[in-house]
Amino acid sequence: MKRLRENNRCCAIVVAAGSSSRMKCSGSKIWIPLSGVPAIVRTLFAFEQAQTIDCVVVVCRACDTQAMERLRIEYSLSKLCRVVPGADTRQASVACGVAAVPEDCAYLAIHDGARPLIRPELIDRVVLDAHRYGAASLAIPARDTMKRADAQGFVVETLPREQLWSVQTPQVFQRELYESALQAAQREYTDDCQLIEQTGGRVHLCEGSPENAKLTTPEDILFAEAVLRGREDGSK
C-alpha cells in the first residue's frame, strides 16, 4: 500500500477506559464476548491487520491492565506495544495514550475500543486520508431528517441533511498537530476532531460504514452479533 509521506509511521491509540454505565454490565463492556471473542480483541485484530498501522497503545481502566497485557500473548497481538491506565475523562485518557506513543510515530489513529466491527480496510482508508490532509475521521452521511429543538423539545429548525455526517472512529491526526491542539484546549471535548477545530484546523471526513457502530447499550450487542454472523457466512 502506497503511503503519501516519508515519515508516516502511525500508532493507534485504542481508548477503552470508559465506565460502561449504559451497557448495564458488570465490569467493562470491552470484555463482552462477540461470537466467543472479547469485543476488545476484535477491535485489536482489525488494527493488527491494517497495513498502515505500525503499533498500538491501549488505554484502559487500571483494573484491566494486567488482563489486557495477557491478550498480547493469548491472541498473538504483535503490534500491541503498550498498555496504560486511563484517566477520569476521555480526553485525559487519550492524553495518557499519546504520552505512551513511540517517538518515531508521526501519526495518531485514535479509536474507541468499543467499536469492535471496524474493518482493516477502513482503517487504512482514513490513515491515508490523514497523510494527505493532516487530520481525517471516518464518518457516514446522515440518513434521517435532522431537527434542532429547544429546551422544551419543540422544533427550532430542520437541518440540511446533505451537510450532516455521523462521526465515527478512527480519527487520525498528524501527531504535532494533535499535541499542539491538546495543549491549547480550554475545555473537555468528547470528540477528538473538536480539538483540531477549536484551533482553527480542518478535519477531512472519510466515508466509513454503518457497521462500524459503538457498543453502548445491550441492543448494540445484538447488532454486532448479527454483523459477525453475516461476515462468517460471507454475506457481508
Side-chain angles (χ1 to χ4, degrees):
M1 176 172 290
K2 183 179 179 181
R3 302 208 188 183
L4 301 179
R5 295 184 183 179
E6 186 174 336
N7 181 20
N8 55 23
R9 282 178 57 82
C10 182
C11 181
I13 300 173
V14 176
V15 187
S19 64
S20 305
S21 57
R22 283 179 288 177
M23 186 58 75
K24 300 177 182 178
C25 61
S26 59
S28 175
K29 61 189 173 185
I30 62 171
W31 301 112
I32 292 173
L34 299 176
S35 295
V37 177
I40 188 62
V41 173
R42 293 199 175 273
T43 302
L44 295 175
F45 275 164
F47 285 90
E48 190 76 19
Q49 296 165 16
Q51 297 180 49
T52 55
I53 298 299
D54 296 283
C55 54
V56 177
V57 170
V58 171
V59 184
C60 62
R61 301 183 308 171
C63 62
D64 288 332
T65 54
Q66 290 187 354
M68 197 72 66
E69 288 280 7
R70 289 194 291 269
L71 297 180
R72 190 199 316 261
I73 298 173
E74 185 177 354
Y75 290 96
S76 301
L77 299 170
S78 62
K79 291 184 182 180
L80 180 55
C81 65
R82 293 286 304 278
V83 175
V84 297
D88 292 336
T89 66
R90 186 185 188 281
Q91 188 169 304
S93 290
V94 174
C96 293
V98 172
V101 170
E103 293 183 3
D104 63 347
C105 289
Y107 288 85
L108 309 173
I110 302 170
H111 185 70
D112 299 321
R115 289 187 189 269
L117 302 175
I118 182 66
R119 285 184 176 272
E121 56 266 30
L122 286 181
I123 297 171
D124 289 334
R125 182 189 300 172
V126 70
V127 170
L128 292 177
D129 221 38
H131 289 176
R132 183 181 297 276
Y133 298 105
S137 175
L138 288 181
I140 55 174
R143 294 179 168 186
D144 302 316
T145 298
M146 307 297 289
K147 305 284 187 180
R148 187 169 69 87
D150 61 19
Q152 287 73 44
F154 290 99
V155 173
V156 174
E157 64 175 322
T158 300
L159 301 173
R161 184 174 59 185
E162 63 274 10
Q163 298 178 15
L164 299 176
W165 293 69
S166 178
V167 177
Q168 303 177 334
T169 66
Q171 297 178 357
V172 187
F173 311 97
Q174 195 171 20
R175 183 176 186 167
E176 291 181 0
L177 176 68
Y178 186 84
E179 289 180 334
S180 296
L182 190 61
Q183 292 177 357
Q186 299 297 312
R187 63 182 181 87
E188 290 287 333
Y189 295 98
T190 58
D191 173 77
D192 293 290
C193 291
Q194 290 178 286
L195 280 171
I196 307 302
E197 295 162 24
Q198 57 95 25
T199 60
R202 301 176 70 192
V203 180
H204 190 260
L205 296 182
C206 177
E207 188 159 358
S209 167
E211 286 187 2
N212 185 24
K214 189 175 181 181
L215 299 182
T216 302
T217 66
E219 292 75 17
D220 298 323
I221 299 173
L222 299 176
F223 173 79
E225 293 279 9
V227 170
L228 291 170
R229 284 195 298 271
R231 291 179 183 179
E232 289 167 2
D233 65 23
S235 63
K236 291 187 180 181

